[in-house]
Each structure stands twice: as structure tokens, then as C-alpha cells.
Amino acid sequence: MDFTIVIDSLPSLLKAALMTIFLSGISIVISLFIGFFTALIRVAKVKIAYGIVSAYISIIRGTPLLVQIFVIYYGLPQVGITLEPIPSGILALSLNAGAYLSESFRASILAVDKGQMEASMSMGMTYWQALRRIILPQSLRIAIPTLSNSFITLIKDTSLVSVITVTELLQMSSLIIAINFEPLTIYLVAAAIYWVIISFFTAVLDRLERNSSKHLAR
């Protein structure tokens, strides 16, 4: 490994890594909202919306993310909707992750004992009150491990937005390689940066999971 090339390339790679973190962070927040509310719609079986949400999840989970990125960036302009590369990437990542998070949230809600819902409603709570006060706090704790996996996948999937010219970590790596012709060195450095980013997110979520389970230990 040529350490001179590593030192020369590191500032550009770290700057591109900030774009990767930005894309990941915004997409995680948006996908959480999408996943959470679509899960509620499916659990409560809200009329009309249930069918729309189910179709959305089926389509997203049944097609590759790369195709979804192309449809949003290259396809939407044909129907009069034009988005810049970064918004297109965020939208694609958010919609994709949101579909998988929806399944995680739905499964965690259904994992809570049904008797708790019945007991809450027998005490005079409405369905939505019981869901908000009793069921959701428990289901969110259950969902944390699967959320961690989804977030890790999303961070790695940001590399795919390089195909629509977003200069994130992988795109910058390719640009540097085109100049110095050292693919092994640059890709190893990029892989190390991805590993650091993902390790940080994983540590945060592990801490959150431990904190959410403290009351069980007591």
C-alpha cells in the first residue's frame, strides 16, 4: 500500500464521507417516519390507506434499490417531476428503508401480548390511546435490534447513489482511482471509512438498546 497516496487522498475521501453521513442521517429520519406511520396503518387496518400502503411495501421490497433510484431520477422527469441528484438519492433511500422499517415496526407491535390491549381498553382507553400509551413504548424497545440492521444496510446502500453523480464516498473513490490508478489502496481506505461510520451508528444503537432494557433488569 502506497501511504503517500493514502495521505493525499484522505482529505477528499473524508469530505465525501460527510456526504455519506448526511445522506444516511436524513434518510434514516425520513424512513423512520414512513416506516412508523405505514406500520400503524397496517396494524389498525385503516380503510383505503391499508391497500395503498400494502402496495407500496410490496413494490419497494420486490424491486432492486438501484432500479428505484433510476425511476426517481431518470423516470420522474418524464411526468414533469425533476429532482436534483441529492434529493433523488434521499427520496429513494428513504422510501426503500421505510418499507423494510414498516415491517419491523409492524412485527414489533404484534409481538406485544394482545392481552395488554384488551386490558387497556377494559379500563376505558380507546384503541388509539392504548396503542400510544401501552403498546408502542414496548414495541419500540422490541424493534431496536431490527432497526439497527436496517440502518446499517441503508448506510451501505448510499454507495448506490453514486450512479446519479452524487459525490459520496464511493463516487469520490472512483474519481481518485481514475487519477492515480491505485484501486486496491483507495478502495481499502474507503472500506475502512465505511466501517468506522457503521461502527459508530452500531455503538449508538447498542447503547440505546441497553438503556431501553434497564427497567427489565431491575
Side-chain angles (χ1 to χ4, degrees):
M1 179 180 290
D2 190 333
F3 288 100
T4 302
I5 293 176
V6 172
I7 294 171
D8 291 341
S9 304
L10 199 55
S12 296
L13 290 173
L14 290 177
K15 183 178 179 180
L18 292 178
M19 174 58 72
T20 294
I21 294 171
F22 172 77
L23 291 171
S24 303
I26 298 296
S27 300
I28 284 172
V29 172
I30 296 173
S31 64
L32 278 171
F33 279 102
I34 293 173
F36 182 72
F37 287 109
T38 53
L40 288 182
I41 289 171
R42 297 189 73 197
V43 169
K45 296 185 178 179
V46 179
K47 292 182 180 179
I48 302 177
Y50 179 87
I52 296 172
V53 166
S54 296
Y56 150 69
I57 292 173
S58 177
I59 291 170
I60 294 297
R61 296 181 71 195
T63 56
L65 174 57
L66 190 58
V67 172
Q68 295 162 21
I69 293 172
F70 285 149
V71 168
I72 291 172
Y73 186 66
Y74 295 112
L76 290 184
Q78 295 188 353
V79 294
I81 303 174
T82 302
L83 298 175
E84 294 297 318
I86 291 177
S88 296
I90 290 173
L91 179 58
L93 291 168
S94 300
L95 289 174
N96 184 272
Y100 289 93
L101 290 177
S102 179
E103 287 296 288
S104 296
F105 281 127
R106 186 177 72 91
S108 64
I109 292 171
L110 295 177
V112 178
D113 188 351
K114 293 181 180 179
Q116 297 196 40
M117 173 64 78
E118 295 170 357
S120 300
M121 295 182 70
S122 69
M123 295 174 62
M125 292 186 190
T126 65
Y127 176 84
W128 290 105
Q129 285 176 332
L131 193 65
R132 177 170 59 87
R133 297 176 183 177
I134 307 299
I135 307 301
L136 289 182
Q138 298 179 71
S139 66
L140 289 175
R141 177 181 56 78
I142 296 171
I144 289 175
T146 56
L147 295 183
S148 178
N149 291 332
S150 296
F151 293 160
I152 289 171
T153 299
L154 189 153
I155 294 169
K156 290 188 287 188
D157 284 346
T158 58
S159 62
L160 294 176
V161 301
S162 62
V163 300
I164 54 174
T165 70
V166 176
T167 310
E168 45 67 66
L169 185 53
L170 183 63
Q171 174 76 348
M172 179 57 70
S173 300
S174 299
L175 293 174
I176 293 172
I177 289 167
I179 297 172
N180 59 34
F181 304 103
E182 288 286 344
L184 179 60
T185 299
I186 300 303
Y187 282 137
L188 284 176
V189 174
I193 294 173
Y194 274 117
W195 176 74
V196 170
I197 295 171
I198 290 171
S199 296
F200 173 77
F201 272 89
T202 302
V204 170
L205 289 168
D206 287 345
R207 179 72 175 269
L208 180 61
E209 183 180 1
R210 287 195 299 271
N211 289 341
S212 68
S213 301
K214 280 183 179 179
H215 71 283
L216 296 178
R218 292 196 295 269

